[in-house]
Amino acid sequence: MAGQVRAAGDLRVWPMVALLALVVLLNFVDRGAIGIAAPLMQQSLGLSATRFGLAVSAFFWTYGLTQPFIGALADRWSAARLLSLAVALWACATLFTGLANGLAMLVGLRLLLGLGEAALFPSTAKLIAAHVPVERRGLANAMIATGLALGPALGTMAGGMILARHGWRPVFFWFGAATLVWLVPWALIGRQMNRATAGKAVEPPSPMRDLLRRPGLWLMGVAHALANYGFFFVLIWLPLYLVKSRGLPIPTMTVLATMTYGMQALASLGWGQLADALVRRGGEPSRVKRRLCVVAELGSVAGIAGVALAQGTTGLCAALLVTGLFLGCLPTMVYALGQLHAGPRDAAGWVGVQNAIGSVSGIVGPVVTGAIVDATGSFNGAFAFAAAVSAAGAAMFAWGLPERSV
């Protein structure tokens, strides 16, 4: 395919992937800051669990709805330049969240954050599909998924320390400023990638209406939504659950949540390497990744249920580690499957639509969880619902997806 760099060791490719992994890390630091700040922020702003869930959900209104359009733009324009503009927008939205004085302002800033972050995965998918050979995309996507998991891990560790010492507002100030710094090295890498592809013929992407007629895209979107539910549930609610329901002090919450996300990050690399090894041994790439997703969803059911049922600290730690282990697989495989089905020419548009459908879990899930907690006074029902959604995800990956896009 024109414009694709075939050599796995090409020095232009892996620095690009490393910076993409870093910005995904920063993305989830910024996205998850509201969960880290929740134990103090919710009380400071006078938000019930349902209203807090609404504020969290607002991010996904723009994040989900705009991704198909942004994905189509990334297929036709420079994905590297588009990503730069998006990062600047979401970093500023994060920084100004530290000034929020009520629900309305918080929702508005979450909408801007979602708009900026909407460009991340379509642009990342386009750049990986265009520059990384298929037999190395497991590793490339695992690096992205590692950033996805390390973001909550490092964000929780750093944010928890800031929260305990300085309150919730500085969490957003520091996180937003750190993301703006990323733009400096990306400006250098982006120019190198543009020079590497300058003058090469590029096959035009499919019209969006043709993409939307492909059943495989809609099925992948549903699978993505089911895979997302457990991940978002843990990312958004774990700090608040550990402090409010388990009665843990903020420093202990920080350690346990960081441990969970750290396990997810390490597991992402392992799952990606396993997928690449199985493909090199002759496994059909789509089948390999689907089967790993089935294993991961079933493991997530066990982990999420274990967190709710664990009695002591040791049992809670074990359940959290199991949850992180299996959640680490899903982002790696889900995005790799989207890239496989789409091909390099349509990767951004496809992943934009797929991720938009996947964002339904982010729109609905926080509100559902908040409503269950307010209605019952407990997280038990919310944990049961999250486990049930993960079980449905296992069934979808096992029987609901085609081997290739149709």
Side-chain angles (χ1 to χ4, degrees):
M1 182 66 66
Q4 184 174 9
V5 179
R6 298 289 183 182
D10 192 319
L11 294 179
R12 291 186 302 269
V13 170
W14 297 107
M16 177 199 75
V17 174
L19 275 179
L20 289 175
L22 177 59
V23 81
V24 168
L25 182 155
L26 294 168
N27 169 278
F28 277 87
V29 166
D30 293 345
R31 184 187 306 193
I34 193 169
I36 298 164
L40 299 183
M41 183 184 195
Q42 184 185 9
Q43 181 178 1
S44 173
L45 297 181
L47 303 176
S48 67
T50 301
R51 287 163 67 86
F52 177 74
L54 177 66
V56 173
S57 172
F59 165 88
F60 293 96
W61 304 346
T62 48
Y63 179 77
L65 291 174
T66 61
Q67 282 202 55
F69 308 102
I70 292 175
L73 181 61
D75 274 327
R76 290 163 174 80
W77 195 49
S78 167
R81 292 193 185 104
L82 180 63
L83 184 57
S84 297
L85 294 174
V87 171
L89 175 60
W90 97 54
C92 290
T94 300
L95 194 152
F96 284 109
T97 300
L99 301 176
N101 56 12
L103 180 63
M105 184 175 179
L106 183 58
V107 167
L109 288 166
R110 294 288 292 177
L111 291 171
L112 286 177
L113 180 68
L115 180 62
E117 293 197 4
L120 177 62
F121 286 109
S123 299
T124 297
K126 182 68 175 182
L127 291 163
I128 289 176
H131 296 287
V132 180
V134 67
E135 68 274 10
R136 290 293 182 181
R137 286 187 200 158
L139 177 58
N141 281 286
M143 291 173 66
I144 300 301
T146 300
L148 185 152
L150 279 178
L154 295 179
T156 301
M157 182 172 62
M161 290 189 293
I162 296 170
L163 185 70
R165 296 179 183 179
H166 305 292
W168 66 268
R169 295 184 188 275
V171 172
F172 296 97
F173 296 150
W174 282 101
F175 286 178
T179 300
L180 287 172
V181 174
W182 177 88
L183 291 168
V184 177
W186 183 250
L188 301 175
I189 291 293
R191 282 198 291 268
Q192 292 176 9
M193 300 310 298
N194 288 334
R195 285 197 296 267
T197 56
K200 295 183 179 180
V202 177
E203 188 176 4
S206 303
M208 182 57 68
R209 62 179 178 275
D210 291 346
L211 274 183
L212 295 176
R213 293 191 184 110
R214 294 164 70 176
L217 174 56
W218 294 96
L219 293 171
M220 273 301 309
V222 172
H224 197 150
L226 294 171
N228 271 349
Y229 193 95
F231 173 76
F232 288 147
F233 176 73
V234 172
L235 175 67
I236 293 166
W237 294 98
L238 182 60
L240 190 63
Y241 167 75
L242 293 176
V243 172
K244 298 295 185 181
S245 292
R246 290 284 182 165
L248 300 178
I250 287 176
T252 305
M253 172 277 288
T254 300
V255 171
L256 291 182
T258 300
M259 175 193 72
T260 305
Y261 304 137
M263 170 58 78
Q264 185 180 339
L266 291 174
S268 296
L269 286 175
W271 290 110
Q273 294 278 35
L274 176 60
D276 280 349
L278 293 173
V279 170
R280 287 195 294 269
R281 292 178 184 176
E284 198 281 320
S286 177
R287 187 179 299 114
V288 165
K289 292 170 175 62
R290 285 174 55 229
R291 289 176 177 173
L292 290 177
C293 284
V294 173
V295 172
E297 288 280 38
L298 293 176
S300 298
V301 172
I304 290 170
V307 172
L309 298 174
Q311 295 299 314
T313 303
T314 301
L316 179 61
C317 288
L320 288 170
L321 288 172
V322 169
T323 302
L325 171 65
F326 289 104
L327 287 180
C329 178
L330 291 168
T332 303
M333 302 307 151
V334 167
Y335 286 109
L337 279 168
Q339 294 159 18
L340 281 171
H341 283 248
R345 66 181 294 212
D346 295 323
W350 178 291
V351 170
V353 175
Q354 176 184 311
N355 214 22
I357 301 170
S359 297
V360 169
S361 286
I363 296 171
V364 174
V367 177
V368 169
T369 299
I372 291 173
V373 173
D374 280 342
T376 65
S378 167
F379 273 88
N380 290 342
F383 273 93
F385 189 79
V389 173
S390 293
M396 185 67 187
F397 282 109
W399 299 298
L401 292 182
E403 292 294 332
R404 293 182 179 85
S405 177
V406 293

